[in-house]
């Protein structure tokens, strides 16, 4: 009797597995994710089938997505593109107008002209400017960060926040739930609130498994009084300013904005803050009011901060990168800590190189995650054979997430070239077109390149066999890494 039940169960699971596979082959989804699920379901249907349903039927995940969409609807009308700016883009920008149109229609992130920019080629530079700007805060401070760890950087910032909160400045602090695992104590929000700081944890890590815990808040945002905003790759921990050595010298980057484009960052923060809030938010209180910018800011051209969400079925971060690669005329220069590519991104890099575009990538020589480095190495040979030039930063670890192209456009933000950033995380970045800061970002690339080793096919063949085997095996689950 037991054998008969096992046979029936196996048949039912087999039929369901076939149905799922047919379904996967017919839906709009990245092929790497489809292949991963198909392999898991075929290899272990008894485990794979229920796990697939567990992932896809999570109510918490759907509720987060619905809440974000509701918040965007509430904000409608706050982020309207300037008509004169749009008209100038339509006349002068050609295909560039199409990208800005996409960012607004799919993400509600308009393009701005009246915004100054300052680029920071290191975490130390950003930290120094952060302290200066935080001391000037008069009305509100919003912080949203992926990693926060007690030490010189965070302690310095926290002391300013406490003083500002005591003087009547509204301070809100949002950090990702992964910090609860080892970096900050579980009662940290209550500790912050006792000091006058409003504090929330995004998606706290819990002892039971839920799939929305795979979707982290990877953004790095600081907004001060609505007129000054920071973003980039730099988190709030001492390795980011090289006060703590972990993987050699930590190379990172960030930007500061002053002007109307800060509104985009402000509303990104408020969306995340209000995901679990039932209180009505008075959004317009925090919108930009004309303020004289600091001396030394880069002006001109167009600035468009944008965000990416794993719950809107729109891969904004990835499509911006693809647009840059597909429309480049002379060069695309990239700094990224991780290189875990799907077929579409790999083909875009290769095709750009085949068209004669100078495609260069700078990656870490000393990785922070061995498995990510093993995976990146599996992409090296094919890219190099097709004309992509790959360099590793020998002094240590590159954490910057920068694109520059043709001396005209650049992206600086939190978006890595891996599946987690492009599909699974909340991310943000700033797209620059014909702003003078593009030259600063490109100059940083050239300065960093002088400290790099070019990787050849010979280097790939000589790389240790264990690393190559591990990397190839990890390709199976690359969409989760």
């Amino acid at each position: 009797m037991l054998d008969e039940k096992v046979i029936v169960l196996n048949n039912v699971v087999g039929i369901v597995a076939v149905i799922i596979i047919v379904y996967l082959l017919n839906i709009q989804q990245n092929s790497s994710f489809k292949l991963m699920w198909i392999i898991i379901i075929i290899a272990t249907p008894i485990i794979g089938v229920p796990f697939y349903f567990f992932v896809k039927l999570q109510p918490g995940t759907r509720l987060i997505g619905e809440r974000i969409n509701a918040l965007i609807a509430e904000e409608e009308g706050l982020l309207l593109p300037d008509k004169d700016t749009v008209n100038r883009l339509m006349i002068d920008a050609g295909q560039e107008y199409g990208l800005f149109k996409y960012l607004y229609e799919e993400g509600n992130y308009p393009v701005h002209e009246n915004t100054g920019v300052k680029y920071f080629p290191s975490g130390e530079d950003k930290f120094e400017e952060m302290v200066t700007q935080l001391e000037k805060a008069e009305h509100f401070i919003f912080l949203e960060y992926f990693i926060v760890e007690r030490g010189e950087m965070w302690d310095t910032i926290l002391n300013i926040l406490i003083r500002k909160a005591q003087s009547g400045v509204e301070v809100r602090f949002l950090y990702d739930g992964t910090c609860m695992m080892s970096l900050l104590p579980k009662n940290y929000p209550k500790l912050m609130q006792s000091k006058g700081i409003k504090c929330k944890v995004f998606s706290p890590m819990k002892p039971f498994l839920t799939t929305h815990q795979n979707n982290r808040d990877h953004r790095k945002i600081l907004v001060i009084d609505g007129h000054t905003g920071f973003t980039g790759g730099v988190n709030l921990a001492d390795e980011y300013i090289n006060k703590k050595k972990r993987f050699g010298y930590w190379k990172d980057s960030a930007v500061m904005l002053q002007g109307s484009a800060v509104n985009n960052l402000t509303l990104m923060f408020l969306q995340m803050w209000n995901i679990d809030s039932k209180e009505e938010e008075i959004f317009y209180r925090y919108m930009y009011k004309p303020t004289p910018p600091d001396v030394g800011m880069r002006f001109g051209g167009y600035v468009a901060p944008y965000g990416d969400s794993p719950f809107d079925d729109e891969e904004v971060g990835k499509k911006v990168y693809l647009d840059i690669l597909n429309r480049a005329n002379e060069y695309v220069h990239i700094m990224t800590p991780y290189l875990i590519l799907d077929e579409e991104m790999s083909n875009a890099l290769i095709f750009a190189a085949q068209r004669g575009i100078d495609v260069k990538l700078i990656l870490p020589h000393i990785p922070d995650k061995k498995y990510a480095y093993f995976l990146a190495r599996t992409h090296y040979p094919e890219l190099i054979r097709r004309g992509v030039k790959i360099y590793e930063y020998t002094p240590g670890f590159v954490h910057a997430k920068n694109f520059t192209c043709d001396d005209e456009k650049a992206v600086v933000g939190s978006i890595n070239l891996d599946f987690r950033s492009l599909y699974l995380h909340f991310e943000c970045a700033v797209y620059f077109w014909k702003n003078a800061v593009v030259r600063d970002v490109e100059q940083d690339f050239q300065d960093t390149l002088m400290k790099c080793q070019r990787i050849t096919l010979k280097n790939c063949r000589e790389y240790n066999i264990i690393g190559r085997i591990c990397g190839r095996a990890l390709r199976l689950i690359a969409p989760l890494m």
Side-chain angles (χ1 to χ4, degrees):
M1 183 66 71
L2 181 61
D3 290 343
E4 291 179 3
K5 289 182 178 180
V6 170
I7 292 171
V8 170
L9 176 62
N10 284 334
N11 289 338
V12 170
V13 170
I15 293 169
V16 175
V18 171
I19 293 172
I20 293 173
I21 290 169
V22 172
Y23 169 76
L24 286 167
L25 293 173
N26 284 275
I27 61 170
Q28 283 290 110
Q29 189 182 38
N30 180 270
S31 59
S32 297
F33 285 93
K34 289 184 180 182
L35 182 60
M36 179 191 71
W37 277 118
I38 289 171
I39 291 173
I40 291 173
I41 289 169
I42 290 175
T44 58
I46 294 293
I47 297 173
V49 168
F51 184 57
Y52 180 81
F53 283 114
F54 172 78
V55 170
K56 294 300 178 183
L57 299 178
Q58 284 284 322
T61 300
R62 294 199 304 275
L63 289 173
I64 290 175
E66 290 170 3
R67 179 60 179 153
I68 291 172
N69 291 335
L71 288 166
I72 292 172
E74 288 177 31
E75 297 166 3
E76 191 172 358
L78 290 171
L79 283 182
L80 293 175
D82 179 75
K83 291 182 179 179
D84 292 336
T85 298
V86 172
N87 289 336
R88 278 188 286 273
L89 277 169
M90 290 177 69
I91 295 169
D92 301 332
Q95 292 186 32
E96 207 66 39
Y97 166 73
L99 179 61
F100 289 121
K101 180 173 180 286
Y102 165 78
L103 288 176
Y104 180 67
E105 291 185 351
E106 298 299 334
N108 197 38
Y109 303 111
V111 60
H112 302 261
E113 286 183 287
N114 58 330
T115 296
V117 188
K118 187 174 184 180
Y119 175 73
F120 306 105
S122 72
E124 297 93 309
D125 294 331
K126 181 203 175 184
F127 177 45
E128 181 180 353
E129 188 66 46
M130 281 179 72
V131 170
T132 299
Q133 297 299 329
L134 284 167
E135 292 285 10
K136 297 178 184 178
E138 297 178 349
H139 305 292
F140 69 89
I141 298 169
F142 295 160
L143 299 100
E144 177 183 346
Y145 279 86
F146 178 58
I147 296 295
V148 181
E149 184 177 11
R150 289 170 291 188
E152 181 176 334
M153 185 182 193
W154 175 237
D155 290 348
T156 302
I157 292 170
L158 181 57
N159 286 333
I160 299 173
L161 299 180
I162 293 170
R163 282 195 285 107
K164 288 295 178 179
Q166 291 172 346
S167 69
V169 175
E170 179 184 1
V171 181
R172 300 194 200 184
F173 171 38
L174 174 67
Y175 63 91
D176 186 74
T178 52
C179 294
M180 296 173 62
M181 297 177 68
S182 60
L183 302 180
L184 296 175
K186 291 182 180 180
N187 66 340
Y188 208 63
K190 290 184 178 179
L191 177 63
M192 293 296 97
Q193 288 157 13
S194 71
K195 299 179 183 297
I197 297 170
K198 299 177 182 178
C199 183
K200 288 186 178 182
V201 182
F202 174 80
S203 189
M205 301 301 289
K206 298 177 181 178
F208 55 87
L209 183 63
T210 61
T211 58
H212 77 266
Q213 292 192 48
N214 198 36
N215 306 117
R216 307 314 315 173
D217 182 2
H218 194 244
R219 295 173 178 176
K220 294 89 179 167
I221 294 174
L222 167 62
V223 176
I224 301 168
D225 292 345
H227 57 65
T228 299
F230 290 79
T231 191
V234 181
N235 282 297
L236 305 181
D238 281 356
E239 62 262 36
Y240 295 88
I241 58 172
N242 286 288
K243 291 296 182 180
K244 180 170 73 174
K245 297 293 183 183
R246 293 186 64 201
F247 311 104
Y249 181 83
W250 191 289
K251 170 73 182 82
D252 220 319
S253 68
V255 286
M256 179 175 76
L257 311 179
Q258 290 186 329
S260 62
V262 176
N263 281 343
N264 295 27
L265 294 176
T266 302
L267 289 188
M268 280 183 225
F269 172 87
L270 290 173
Q271 286 170 12
M272 297 299 286
W273 181 268
N274 287 285
I275 281 177
D276 62 351
S277 176
K278 296 181 180 179
E279 297 180 9
E280 185 176 349
E281 185 73 77
I282 306 174
F283 294 106
Y284 68 85
R285 290 177 50 196
Y286 305 103
M287 295 298 95
Y288 170 72
K289 297 174 181 62
T291 307
D294 288 1
V295 175
M297 302 296 285
R298 297 288 204 177
F299 281 89
Y302 301 86
V303 179
Y306 60 95
D308 201 356
S309 164
F311 299 126
D312 59 6
D313 297 322
E314 192 60 42
E315 297 129 16
V316 177
K318 176 182 175 181
K319 287 182 178 178
V320 170
Y321 286 165
L322 289 174
D323 187 77
I324 292 172
L325 287 164
N326 290 333
R327 293 198 294 113
N329 293 313
E330 296 179 13
Y331 75 81
V332 178
H333 294 160
I334 302 166
M335 276 196 273
T336 181
Y338 311 117
L339 193 71
I340 305 176
L341 305 175
D342 64 8
E343 188 175 2
E344 190 176 12
M345 187 62 71
S346 179
N347 286 340
L349 289 164
I350 289 169
F351 182 52
Q354 290 175 325
R355 290 192 295 114
I357 307 303
D358 178 37
V359 181
K360 291 190 176 85
L361 287 86
I362 294 178
L363 293 116
H365 186 67
I366 304 175
D368 67 332
K369 301 178 179 70
K370 283 286 188 182
Y371 67 83
Y373 186 65
F374 293 155
L375 270 167
R377 277 274 179 171
T378 67
H379 294 289
Y380 283 14
E382 182 182 15
L383 294 175
I384 292 169
R385 277 195 295 267
R386 304 293 185 90
V388 177
K389 304 176 184 74
I390 295 178
Y391 298 81
E392 289 186 352
Y393 177 69
T394 54
F397 181 62
V398 170
H399 193 253
K401 305 95 165 48
N402 296 354
F403 269 58
T404 51
C405 177
D406 296 346
D407 292 339
E408 281 193 345
K409 61 187 76 172
V411 171
V412 179
S414 68
I415 308 173
N416 299 315
L417 274 179
D418 65 0
F419 284 91
R420 300 205 67 81
S421 273
L422 299 179
Y423 294 98
L424 300 176
H425 285 168
F426 291 90
E427 301 282 1
C428 64
V430 188
Y431 185 88
F432 305 100
W433 186 58
K434 291 193 173 180
N435 183 287
V437 80
V438 174
R439 293 195 295 271
D440 298 332
V441 184
E442 174 59 17
Q443 185 59 55
D444 182 35
F445 182 91
Q446 296 299 332
D447 293 344
T448 306
L449 196 65
M450 298 296 291
K451 303 171 185 176
C452 292
Q453 167 194 352
R454 183 169 178 179
I455 304 300
T456 65
L457 288 174
K458 182 181 178 184
N459 296 139
C460 295
R461 288 192 294 268
E462 292 175 349
Y463 185 62
N464 77 80
I465 187 66
I466 301 299
R468 281 185 281 165
I469 292 172
C470 289
R472 292 294 176 185
L474 288 168
R475 290 284 283 263
L476 171 63
I477 55 172
L480 298 178
M481 306 181 75

